[in-house]
Amino acid sequence: MDKYIGKVKEAIEEYKFQIIFGLLICIVLTVTYCFINKNTEATATSGQTTQVQSKSNGSKEINQHAVKSNQHEQIFVDVKGAVINPGVYQASTNMRGTDLIKMAGGFNNYADRNHVNLAKKVTDQEILYIPIQGEVIGTPVTNLGSTESSNNDDNAGLDSKSSGDKVNLNEADSTKIQTLNGIGQKKAEKIIDYRKQNGPFKSVDDLKNVPGFGERTVANLKPSVSV
């Protein structure tokens, strides 16, 4: 046993430099492996973070595009009355009354611009009606977008007739119709034109189908008219 241990000591003494060199190489390789492995994990983590950010940015771009698409959704507006080219026009939800008037060729020479709110945004299936001069009675209303609404407020304070016979919408001439409160020559002619084109009024509520007659106007006239 002592002889074997002695040989080992002699071998260690003889090859001690090689042994030390080998140990140093093992230490260097171990440190290098740990360093490379750490960098690999960091790179992988960074790549995953970049992918997440890219997906997040992509989602934001899609959402922004969707919002812009909604802002420019295509709608249709029916432009009627005192414009050069009345008709149905394709527009977008960010457009206003003035844009539709331009699309319709602008106002004609008889347009009453004081009773239309050109700054109001248009909506799908809206009727943008431009009255002719003298058609709307009362102070111009600037916070409404259609002539029908203006007519409603202009005639809101009108009182119906307190006495006298009711005016028959199917028999009265223009002069007789003009005896009604708030009805001038233009509106009387519109009632007669509607009667000629569509036949007799079946009810007083049919007045709502006549251009320029809103619900409130018809309600004020009901006590004074008949069919």
Side-chain angles (χ1 to χ4, degrees):
M1 185 69 178
D2 293 337
K3 185 179 180 180
Y4 177 76
I5 294 174
K7 287 183 179 181
V8 171
K9 289 182 178 180
E10 289 177 359
I12 292 173
E13 184 67 24
E14 182 178 356
Y15 297 103
K16 63 180 179 181
F17 293 106
Q18 289 86 338
I19 293 173
I20 293 172
F21 183 73
L23 290 173
L24 290 174
I25 291 176
C26 289
I27 293 173
V28 171
L29 289 176
T30 301
V31 172
T32 303
Y33 172 78
C34 293
F35 179 76
I36 293 174
N37 188 50
K38 184 176 181 181
N39 286 343
T40 302
E41 291 178 354
T43 302
T45 303
S46 177
Q48 292 176 354
T49 302
T50 302
Q51 290 179 355
V52 171
Q53 290 177 345
S54 298
K55 291 181 179 179
S56 178
N57 292 336
S59 299
K60 289 181 179 179
E61 291 178 358
I62 292 174
N63 291 336
Q64 291 175 354
H65 179 72
V67 171
K68 290 181 179 179
S69 298
N70 290 334
Q71 291 177 346
H72 299 284
E73 179 183 355
Q74 296 301 306
I75 60 176
F76 291 89
V77 179
D78 189 1
V79 183
K80 297 177 179 291
V83 292
I84 295 177
N85 298 309
V88 176
Y89 290 88
Q90 184 174 355
S92 58
T93 52
N94 66 331
M95 297 181 72
R96 300 181 184 272
T98 184
D99 300 315
L100 270 296
I101 298 301
K102 291 177 181 178
M103 293 174 67
F107 295 105
N108 64 24
N109 295 331
Y110 305 100
D112 182 358
R113 307 184 186 192
N114 295 325
H115 288 85
V116 182
N117 183 3
L118 299 178
K120 177 181 176 292
K121 283 189 176 182
V122 296
T123 58
D124 191 30
Q125 302 181 29
E126 177 181 349
I127 295 178
L128 180 58
Y129 181 78
I130 310 302
I132 61 177
Q133 296 174 8
E135 180 179 347
V136 179
I137 302 173
T139 303
V141 179
T142 58
N143 63 339
L144 298 176
S146 66
T147 302
E148 180 175 329
S149 297
S150 298
N151 289 338
N152 291 344
D153 281 3
D154 289 337
N155 293 290
L158 296 178
D159 296 326
S160 58
K161 287 183 134 188
S162 58
S163 61
D165 297 333
K166 291 186 176 182
V167 175
N168 191 308
L169 295 175
N170 293 324
E171 299 176 357
D173 57 14
S174 177
T175 302
K176 183 67 173 177
I177 294 174
Q178 290 180 55
T179 61
L180 296 168
N181 286 330
I183 302 299
Q185 181 180 355
K186 298 292 184 180
K187 285 190 174 182
E189 291 176 355
K190 286 180 177 294
I191 291 175
I192 294 174
D193 290 341
Y194 179 87
R195 194 168 66 195
K196 290 179 179 179
Q197 295 174 7
N198 300 278
F201 288 91
K202 295 180 176 61
S203 70
V204 175
D205 286 332
D206 287 346
L207 271 176
K208 297 176 184 177
N209 299 324
V210 180
F213 286 80
E215 292 185 1
R216 190 172 298 178
T217 302
V218 174
N220 288 331
L221 291 174
K222 271 187 176 181
S224 305
V225 297
S226 63
V227 295

